[in-house]
């Protein structure tokens, strides 16, 4: 891992609703609804596939003026001039952070423990994601709960935009917002909803600043 501190900012501490989606089709569905921060997380792509979906995602993001983050595939994100890259803890070890920074891309980092967010904070990323807040079936992860979210947010929120992620639905959103985080990442809450438009509109209204 090549260390680089001080990544470009996102221009706000309140990134709002932050859907994490697994296809370019979902970008086309959600961005016209007013979503302005979004992440494309497509797993197990070949290099050519990663290049193709990233190129398409960047183009769509620019069309809507969205903060388009690409999960994991940082070389493709750099090549196609994405708004930003989101990396997990394991991804950090193999990423050239200096190259990402020098290309002007924003960097978001997933964290699931105090040691992980301290490691992330030392890199001065564009935002820090805290989770998994509640149990979720989207991916296996350690559940941190609301108590740790509140405690960690108090330490970090004056220094970084924070994104809460993991199992966040309508019935528990108020607990997450009470921590002071400025963004909530959701996946199945919207993509698995009976009416994704209605669900996205509800979250957008609750997260409007």
């Amino acid at each position: 891992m090549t260390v680089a501190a001080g990544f470009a900012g996102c221009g706000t501490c309140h990134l709002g609703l932050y859907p994490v989606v697994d296809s370019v089709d979902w970008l086309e569905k959600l961005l016209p609804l007013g979503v302005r921060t979004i992440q494309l997380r497509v797993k197990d792509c070949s290099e050519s596939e990663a290049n193709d979906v990233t190129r398409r995602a960047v183009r769509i993001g620019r069309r809507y003026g969205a903060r388009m983050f690409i999960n994991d595939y940082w070389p493709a994100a750099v090549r196609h001039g994405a708004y930003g890259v989101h990396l997990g803890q394991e991804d950090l070890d193999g990423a050239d952070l200096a190259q990402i920074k020098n290309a002007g891309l924003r960097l978001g980092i997933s964290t699931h423990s105090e040691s992980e967010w301290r490691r992330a904070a030392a890199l001065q990323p564009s935002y820090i994601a805290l989770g998994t807040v509640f149990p979720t079936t989207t991916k296996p992860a350690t559940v941190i709960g609301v108590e740790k979210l509140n405690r960690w947010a108090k330490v970090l929120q004056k220094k970084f935009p924070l994104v809460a992620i993991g199992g966040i639905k309508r019935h528990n959103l108020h607990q997450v917002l009470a921590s002071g985080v400025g963004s909530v990442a959701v996946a199945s809450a919207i993509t698995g909803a009976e009416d994704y438009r209605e669900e996205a509109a509800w979250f957008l209204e609750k997260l409007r600043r």
Side-chain angles (χ1 to χ4, degrees):
M1 178 181 70
T2 304
V3 177
F7 286 82
C10 296
T12 178
C13 288
H14 303 289
L15 299 178
L17 174 62
Y18 188 171
V20 178
V21 300
D22 62 3
S23 73
V24 172
D25 287 344
W26 274 111
L27 303 179
E28 293 278 20
K29 290 178 179 179
L30 295 178
L31 292 182
L33 302 180
V35 171
R36 287 298 170 263
T37 306
I38 199 163
Q39 180 186 139
L40 180 64
R41 182 178 183 269
V42 182
K43 307 306 288 184
D44 302 321
C45 283
S46 66
E47 183 177 349
S48 63
E49 290 170 335
N51 272 310
D52 180 57
V53 296
T54 299
R55 175 182 53 78
R56 293 163 61 198
V58 169
R59 185 172 59 206
I60 296 167
R62 287 176 179 166
R63 187 195 315 160
Y64 290 99
R67 292 179 282 262
M68 172 67 65
F69 285 90
I70 303 299
N71 184 287
D72 190 13
Y73 301 115
W74 64 267
V78 169
R79 183 175 298 112
H80 296 289
Y83 180 86
V85 174
H86 181 90
L87 298 177
Q89 291 291 310
E90 301 82 5
D91 302 322
L92 282 174
D93 295 328
D96 187 334
L97 300 185
Q99 186 177 349
I100 295 170
K101 177 192 173 186
N102 292 338
L105 274 65
R106 286 79 177 170
L107 175 67
I109 301 176
S110 292
T111 67
H112 312 88
S113 66
E114 183 172 343
S115 62
E116 289 184 358
W117 63 249
R118 287 189 180 280
R119 178 194 187 195
L123 298 172
Q124 299 178 42
S126 308
Y127 71 79
I128 293 176
L130 301 170
T132 300
V133 182
F134 303 106
T136 177
T137 58
T138 303
K139 58 182 293 189
T142 301
V143 176
I144 65 170
V146 174
E147 182 180 345
K148 286 183 179 178
L149 176 66
N150 288 333
R151 189 165 69 247
W152 298 348
K154 287 180 181 178
V155 176
L156 293 168
Q157 62 188 354
K158 292 183 179 179
K159 300 177 181 178
F160 303 98
L162 300 179
V163 179
I165 187 170
I168 301 170
K169 311 285 186 180
R170 286 197 185 204
H171 70 274
N172 57 29
L173 178 64
H174 66 285
Q175 299 178 62
V176 174
L177 295 182
S179 71
V181 298
S183 180
V184 170
V186 298
S188 61
I190 288 179
T191 60
E194 184 174 341
D195 186 336
Y196 73 85
R197 294 180 182 87
E198 178 184 339
E199 204 69 13
W202 187 88
F203 274 97
L204 282 167
E205 176 62 29
K206 296 298 181 181
L207 288 159
R208 182 170 290 125
R209 295 282 178 163

